[in-house]
Amino acid sequence: MSDKQIDEVSGMETTGHDWDGIRELNLPMPRWWVWTYYATVVWAVAYWIAMPAWPLLSDYTRGLLGHSQRAQLSDQIAAAKAGHAGLIARTAKASLTEIQANPELLEFALAGGRSAFAVNCSQCHGTGASGGKGYPNLNDDDWLWGGKLEQIHTTIQYGIRADHDETRANEMPAFGRDEILKPRQVDEVADYVLALSRDDGLADRLPGKAPFNEYCVDCHGAGGKGNSELGAPNLRNGIWLYEGSKPAVVDVITNGRSGKMPAWVNRLDPVTVKQLAVYVHSLGGGA
Ligand code: HEC
Ligand code: HEC
């Protein structure tokens, strides 16, 4: 396309493209567009120089401004910690009941407890602390080891059958496996336990009552009301740690159970453990 072609009507140069006699005008880009384009190019180059931009083999160009999101994040965390330092110090000094009685500390404890629970506890106790087979529901007012603030605090600190000298420890014997009871007695005592849980007044007539009174009341209490000193569940309230079916109850009596809950005293700081106790107590704690 050597010589320029001029459109007769507008007097403008054309590109030389021709579609059935229609010619395309060669209009320059609008000025504003061109300048915006140059500006983005300049911006990009300036950004590469100032900010972290190009990946290298084992590193990246860091940029003259030294910006780093990780540094920014640790600054923010440090700022948040400093903001909370006062509350943390006051929580550390306060007793559990003092924390509960102070609206500011209580709010701080519930927030801290909730997030620590989500990280450390929910894998066993469930996201809403509603538990599962072998893992107690912490929302109801049925407690193996007691639902008072101090009791919950002790449970969380030292765990249950955990690797700590002060852990809560008490094991239900494997009555069937260790042949303390004969299979028939296991069966009868299971029927008795199930009748207790129905609380329909029929339990007293069952043959399982005698072995229960002989072997079980030391832990589970008279009439199966449970004993939180020993972590022995109440067998009358229809709330089951395991299951309330006949085979499941027979299995517990035959093999024992001994669920384990880790001790947290060496894994979490004391303030977090206190916050957890206050939080768990708020879910379904007793007086
Ligand atoms: C590895 C699983 C596991 C984890 C993690 C765990 N627990 Fe437990 N927890 C258990 C088991 C199992 C029991 C019941 C033990 C038993 O049979 O006596 C229990 C019992 C409890 C109890 C006593 C309930 C009662 O009725 O007396 C409390 C309170 C409790 N857990 C709180 C927590 C808190 C708070 C955390 C997180 C810091 C936590 N648990 C983490 C397994 C776990
Ligand atoms: C040394 C104390 C002790 C004795 C004795 C004992 N238990 Fe238990 N029992 C426990 C503990 C502690 C648990 C809690 C479960 C665990 O170990 O994780 C339990 C749990 C149970 C459960 C499961 C309850 C649930 O909610 O799922 C049943 C059922 C039960 N025991 C029945 C019996 C019967 C029947 C006897 C007598 C033949 C008996 N226990 C004797 C301590 C005892």
Side-chain angles (χ1 to χ4, degrees):
M1 225 71 48
S2 53
D3 44 349
K4 289 183 181 176
Q5 299 186 341
I6 306 294
D7 174 57
E8 288 160 18
V9 183
S10 62
M12 282 186 137
E13 199 183 321
T14 73
T15 59
H17 301 157
D18 185 325
W19 289 278
D20 294 340
I22 300 172
R23 293 200 178 128
E24 191 185 8
L25 296 183
N26 189 7
L27 275 175
M29 299 301 260
R31 288 267 119 178
W32 64 262
W33 193 96
V34 175
W35 283 117
T36 313
Y37 176 72
Y38 289 145
T40 59
V41 173
V42 172
W43 173 260
V45 174
Y47 193 94
W48 297 338
I49 296 170
M51 303 291 277
W54 291 100
L56 305 173
L57 270 184
S58 60
D59 200 8
Y60 57 92
T61 58
R62 287 175 188 274
L64 294 179
L65 293 184
H67 173 86
S68 143
Q69 283 184 333
R70 192 170 301 167
Q72 205 176 28
L73 181 68
S74 15
D75 285 354
Q76 281 167 357
I77 292 176
K81 278 221 175 110
H84 284 159
L87 284 168
I88 292 175
R90 281 164 61 201
T91 305
K93 270 196 228 113
S95 73
L96 293 167
T97 33
E98 279 162 3
I99 296 174
Q100 226 175 21
N102 179 312
E104 207 188 345
L105 292 186
L106 177 63
E107 194 191 338
F108 185 56
L110 293 180
R114 186 177 299 113
S115 64
F117 193 91
V119 176
N120 300 292
C121 324
S122 54
Q123 63 273 41
C124 285
H125 289 283
T127 30
S130 52
K133 198 174 160 201
Y135 301 106
N137 180 347
L138 304 177
N139 294 295
D140 58 20
D141 196 12
D142 178 43
W143 295 90
L144 296 163
W145 294 94
K148 298 202 175 100
L149 254 180
E150 279 299 341
Q151 293 171 317
I152 294 175
H153 191 220
T154 305
T155 304
I156 300 173
Q157 280 180 300
Y158 306 120
I160 302 166
R161 304 177 190 99
D163 194 8
H164 192 286
D165 288 349
E166 288 175 66
T167 194
R168 295 192 178 286
N170 182 31
E171 310 238 339
M172 168 152 161
F175 287 96
R177 201 178 58 212
D178 293 346
E179 294 174 6
I180 306 165
L181 295 177
K182 298 193 181 68
R184 186 180 48 80
Q185 287 175 302
V186 170
D187 196 74
E188 286 172 357
V189 92
D191 281 334
Y192 177 73
V193 166
L194 288 165
L196 282 180
S197 77
R198 286 193 300 269
D199 212 5
D200 53 11
L202 294 179
D204 277 350
R205 292 189 228 151
L206 296 177
K209 185 178 177 181
F212 189 88
N213 283 343
E214 188 175 346
Y215 293 103
C216 320
V217 287
D218 285 350
C219 287
H220 289 282
K225 288 219 173 69
N227 182 348
S228 60
E229 298 279 300
L230 300 171
N234 181 336
L235 302 174
R236 300 191 71 123
N237 58 8
I239 300 177
W240 296 95
L241 176 59
Y242 296 94
E243 255 171 41
S245 66
K246 173 94 184 259
V249 171
V250 167
D251 188 40
V252 173
I253 301 170
T254 306
N255 298 308
R257 269 293 176 268
S258 301
K260 290 179 183 55
M261 142 98 176
W264 295 94
V265 68
N266 296 328
R267 305 190 198 193
L268 299 173
D269 62 274
V271 167
T272 306
V273 174
K274 274 185 179 177
Q275 293 185 323
L276 279 165
V278 172
Y279 170 69
V280 169
H281 185 265
S282 79
L283 298 176

